[in-house]
Amino acid sequence: MNESILLPLLAATVQSGTPILYATLGEILTERAGVLNLGVEGMMLLGALAAFWASLSTGSPWIGLLAGGTAAALLSGLHALVCLVFQGNQVVSGLALTILGTGLADFWGTPFIGRKAPGFGTLELPVLADLPVLGPIFFQQDILVYLSLLLPVAMWLFLGRTRWGLGLRSVGEYPRAAAAAGLPVLCYRAAGIMGGGFLVGLGGAYLSLAYTHLWTNGLTAGRGWIAVALVIFAFWRPGRAIVGAYLFGGVMAFQLRLQAMGTNLPSSLLLMLPYALTILVLALTSWRGRFTDAPGWLGVNIEPEE
């Protein structure tokens, strides 16, 4: 494979992995607070539609981006209500959230199928864009790609170096101790769910405003489920989420290019590749027995007396 093919493929890998990275970071933030949210796919779809509609209505992709994050955060608020107030099962609530978000996006989005909305274009960074190899791959992208590269660093600093971040982790690790220390446990958990939902919505907004610039039903194509799996692959660490997101983004970009080149492999087999890789990664991660990094109270509701 020569340079004229490899560099565009790697650049497409970064672009394809960016929405997965946003969604994975959002789920990491939620699970660090001790709450499992399997509704990422539905939140991404609703965020993508809200971003598309707001950008189309106002002509501003930035307003669209904000709308996408807000819509997904509001949807995740339902998960917070069910799990924190009514003590509902987190797995069932998350699955219901996916079904609800997917249904709403399909219902409201059908009139917009095939339409284009103002979005984010390529923004070449001076000097850095001219670097050999790295320039075409990382620094000739849109601004949301650059923000996604800064986000893991910001989240690492937040979770490890700030009072709010340490409080969030403590309610996920051992909420009784956090409550004994005077922390409002339910408030921290709710903030983790809503904040994570906002990031997931940004991932959906990236798909409709930067990746495709148009709307079609089922736009996420399973990326939300991949993001849930990547949280385990990343061991709940924001830095490792970059590696996982680009790994899966690379597989998606590769299979699209193989189809464009007219390969003889069945298209259904190529479309299956990212999900087969998801199963393989989860199996290998489990085999290594490294789930010790999971928050201690992940998926466990807090009873009122606790």
Side-chain angles (χ1 to χ4, degrees), residues 29 32 151-169 188 191-192 238:
L29 188 65
R32 277 295 187 183
L151 197 56
V153 179
M155 186 178 291
W156 176 76
L157 290 172
F158 172 73
L159 291 173
R161 297 291 186 275
T162 68
R163 181 180 177 184
W164 281 88
L166 292 172
L168 186 82
R169 289 175 59 187
Y188 271 95

Side-chain angles (χ1 to χ4, degrees), residues 215-241:
W215 176 256
T216 182
N217 288 342
L219 189 61
T220 53
R223 288 177 175 84
W225 295 113
I226 292 175
V228 173
L230 276 184
V231 174
I232 299 173
F233 172 80
F235 300 143
W236 291 265
R237 298 173 186 171
R240 288 194 57 155

